[in-house]
């Protein structure tokens, strides 16, 4: 009977496309080539700021605070801002004078987000499940600044408890936190390791294998029951 069968709720992680996967063992040469392809400086510590497809969540205020903070550090940094479909935000950020202490690359809607993630050292983002899953696979420390109540709220403690990110909606706190990460190679390495530990890069294949096992197991049981019925007859 069904009540006697072992019940379980397996945890596999979020389904990711093959294109969105990143190899944590990617070489430095691969990273340099990718940054060059994207028009980025290959040597600078780099923060990626994204606000979803619509570029929402106060992306201008966050980018201004972060860019200003990064530009005032002892060594030059790089910031990439993906504004999505928010053309007003893109134009405002593109027309800003950022000074010589930080390189700023502003993009609109992009279809190669996985490449920007692989090229970055840390990520500033809303707490979307897809973005967090991809970021963890890439080993990216995450600064979360917004979430949808209910749907995304649980993603915040997941990131914080896993040790690869923090949450704040305050642009200055975000800027101070991210800047402190990039100034500390030890912190960045520890958070990268934590992100990779939380990642589930094989989730798609694992789900397919489990479904196949269930399907074949059910068919074997049906076959056994049919044999018993035939024998009884």
């Amino acid at each position: 009977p069904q009540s006697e069968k072992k019940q379980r709720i397996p945890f596999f992680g979020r389904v990711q496309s093959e294109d969105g996967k990143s190899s944590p063992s990617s070489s430095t040469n691969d990273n340099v080539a990718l940054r060059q392809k994207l028009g980025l400086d290959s040597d600078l510590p780099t923060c990626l700021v994204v606000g979803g497809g619509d570029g929402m969540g106060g992306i201008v205020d966050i980018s201004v605070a972060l860019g200003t903070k990064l530009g005032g550090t002892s060594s030059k940094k790089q910031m990439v801002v993906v504004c999505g479909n928010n053309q007003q935000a893109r134009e405002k950020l593109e027309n800003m004078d950022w000074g010589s202490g930080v390189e700023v690359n502003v993009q609109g809607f992009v279809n190669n987000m996985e490449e920007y993630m692989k090229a970055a050292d840390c990520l500033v983002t809303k707490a979307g499940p897809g973005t967090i899953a991809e970021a963890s696979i890439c080993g990216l420390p995450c600064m979360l600044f917004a979430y949808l109540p209910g749907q995304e709220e649980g993603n915040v403690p997941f990131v914080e408890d896993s040790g690869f990110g923090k949450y704040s909606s305050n642009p200055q706190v975000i800027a101070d936190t991210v800047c402190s990460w990039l100034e500390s190679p030890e912190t960045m390495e520890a958070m990268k390791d934590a992100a990779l530990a939380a990642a589930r890069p094989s989730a798609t294949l694992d789900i397919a294998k489990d479904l196949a096992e269930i399907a074949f197991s059910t068919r074997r049981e049906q076959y056994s029951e049919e044999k018993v019925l035939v024998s009884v007859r």
Side-chain angles (χ1 to χ4, degrees), residues 182-200:
L182 292 175
E183 290 282 89
S184 172
E186 295 81 9
T187 299
M188 289 293 292
E189 189 65 26
M191 295 181 75
K192 176 181 179 179
D193 290 344
L196 292 173
R200 297 293 185 271

Side-chain angles (χ1 to χ4, degrees), residues 134-177:
E134 292 170 6
S136 64
I137 292 172
C138 292
L140 281 181
C142 293
M143 185 72 221
L144 307 177
F145 61 78
Y147 59 84
L148 293 177
Q151 179 183 350
E152 296 177 348
E153 190 170 357
N155 297 335
V156 174
F158 170 75
V159 169
E160 292 186 326
D161 294 346
S162 296
F164 68 99
K166 295 290 184 183
Y167 170 84
S168 176
S169 59
N170 185 308
Q172 194 56 55
V173 173
I174 293 170
D176 291 343
T177 302

Side-chain angles (χ1 to χ4, degrees), residues 24-206:
S25 60
S26 297
S27 69
T28 301
N29 290 336
D30 291 337
N31 185 270
V32 169
L34 183 55
R35 288 194 178 190
Q36 290 176 344
K37 174 186 175 182
L38 297 173
L40 304 176
D41 190 292
S42 58
D43 298 320
L44 298 179
T46 301
C47 178
L48 174 63
V49 183
V50 300
D54 294 322
M56 306 304 290
I59 192 170
V60 171
D61 291 341
I62 291 169
S63 299
V64 170
L66 181 56
T68 301
K69 183 73 177 181
L70 292 175
T73 59
S74 57
S75 59
K76 195 171 183 179
K77 305 290 192 300
Q78 183 166 235
M79 178 176 72
V80 180
V81 185
V82 179
C83 298
N85 293 316
N86 192 335
Q87 186 62 25
Q88 184 177 5
R90 181 179 183 179
E91 291 176 358
K92 184 170 183 177
L93 294 173
E94 283 180 332
N95 291 325
M96 286 197 63
D97 180 7
W98 296 97
S100 60
V102 60
E103 290 287 339
V104 178
N105 183 296
V106 182
Q107 299 291 323
F109 188 90
V110 300
N111 293 311
N112 58 336
M113 182 61 73
E114 74 283 354
E115 290 186 326
Y116 281 98
M117 284 192 175
K118 292 174 186 177
D121 295 304
C122 66
L123 176 68
V124 178
T125 178
K126 63 188 290 290
T131 304
I132 291 173
E134 292 170 6
S136 64
I137 292 172
C138 292
L140 281 181
C142 293
M143 185 72 221
L144 307 177
F145 61 78
Y147 59 84
L148 293 177
Q151 179 183 350
E152 296 177 348
E153 190 170 357
N155 297 335
V156 174
F158 170 75
V159 169
E160 292 186 326
D161 294 346
S162 296
F164 68 99
K166 295 290 184 183
Y167 170 84
S168 176
S169 59
N170 185 308
Q172 194 56 55
V173 173
I174 293 170
D176 291 343
T177 302
V178 171
C179 193
S180 71
W181 292 350
L182 292 175
E183 290 282 89
S184 172
E186 295 81 9
T187 299
M188 289 293 292
E189 189 65 26
M191 295 181 75
K192 176 181 179 179
D193 290 344
L196 292 173
R200 297 293 185 271
S202 62
T204 304
L205 184 58
D206 291 341

